[in-house]
Amino acid sequence: MTDPTQQQQYLIEQLNNCAQGDRRAFERLYRASCAHLYAQLLRIVRDERAAQDCLQHVFIRVWHVADQYDATKAKPMTWLSTLARNIGIDWIRRQKPQDSTADEPLLEALLSNDDPEDDSINAQQHGKLQTCLNTLSSHQRQLMEMAFFQGLTHSELAHTLTQPLGSVKSLIRRGLERLKACLTSGI
């Protein structure tokens, strides 16, 4: 499933079915999202075993709180990524000795904002950002949203969308340049 809208609808359906206790939907949700969530956790905890343990905790949590997911408030991968991020941060906190300050910059960076969708957007700039995003082609915007909200690398985007890696990199770079110009120009 390469269409992001179809993928999003599929994940919403699986989450809704999980909320009803559907074990097969839970399995489908796991298969559709585990690779991305594992990669995200691995970047946070920096340990394969810990990332695997955290991933298990993420899906235990999903099973118990799937009924709290609201598609009007967040995309399904954003909601799942937030759960994963919080579980990864909790793992780092538990591992951190009381007197150690080695991981403090990493932990502070991870804790800087509660909602990934709001990391760089405050209430006053939201409209301006939307205006600037609308200047991008729909394909360019899709690539950037998948990279930012789903955490996909350039290689993963190229593979997912069956496009050359160089084209993906170029489209994202030009999109970022266009956004920067738009945001700094006051348009």
Side-chain angles (χ1 to χ4, degrees):
M1 195 174 328
T2 58
D3 180 22
T5 305
Q6 286 180 335
Q7 183 179 17
Q8 185 172 318
Q9 282 305 116
Y10 179 77
L11 293 174
I12 290 169
E13 181 181 323
Q14 301 319 310
L15 278 167
N16 289 336
N17 291 338
C18 284
Q20 303 300 318
D22 184 339
R23 292 178 188 263
R24 289 186 183 196
F26 182 73
E27 182 180 339
R28 290 187 297 268
L29 178 67
Y30 177 84
R31 289 183 185 193
S33 62
C34 70
H36 169 75
L37 297 175
Y38 175 75
Q40 177 185 359
L41 287 163
L42 192 56
R43 284 190 300 267
I44 293 170
V45 301
R46 298 179 182 179
D47 178 79
E48 287 183 22
R49 275 189 101 122
Q52 292 167 359
D53 289 344
C54 288
L55 184 64
Q56 181 178 3
H57 289 290
V58 168
F59 280 97
I60 290 170
R61 181 104 175 109
V62 167
W63 181 252
H64 292 287
V65 300
D67 62 329
Q68 294 177 12
Y69 173 69
D70 183 352
T72 64
K73 293 183 180 177
K75 294 178 181 177
M77 278 309 292
T78 302
W79 188 76
L80 292 167
S81 293
T82 300
L83 290 177
R85 179 178 171 271
N86 291 341
I87 287 171
I89 290 170
D90 288 344
W91 183 88
I92 290 173
R93 284 182 178 149
R94 285 193 308 275
Q95 303 307 310
K96 183 179 169 189
Q98 294 299 326
D99 58 349
S100 173
T101 59
D103 288 330
E104 281 186 23
L106 171 64
L107 194 56
E108 284 179 28
L110 290 170
L111 294 173
S112 64
N113 289 304
D114 293 333
D115 186 352
E117 287 186 300
D118 292 334
D119 283 347
S120 63
I121 304 171
N122 65 37
Q124 296 173 338
Q125 294 178 334
H126 186 264
K128 182 176 181 180
L129 180 61
Q130 288 301 319
T131 300
C132 291
L133 283 170
N134 289 335
T135 66
L136 302 175
S137 71
S138 61
H139 182 61
Q140 205 169 30
R141 184 174 176 161
Q142 173 192 14
L143 283 170
M144 294 180 70
E145 286 177 347
M146 290 175 74
F148 183 78
F149 292 116
Q150 296 179 18
L152 298 179
T153 65
H154 291 143
S155 298
E156 291 169 333
L157 286 167
H159 177 74
T160 301
L161 300 172
T162 59
Q163 293 186 338
L165 178 60
S167 297
V168 168
K169 287 181 176 182
S170 179
L171 283 166
I172 289 176
R173 187 186 73 249
R174 286 191 307 242
L176 288 172
E177 289 170 353
R178 177 178 264 165
L179 284 177
K180 181 179 178 184
C182 179
L183 289 168
T184 57
S185 71
I187 293 173

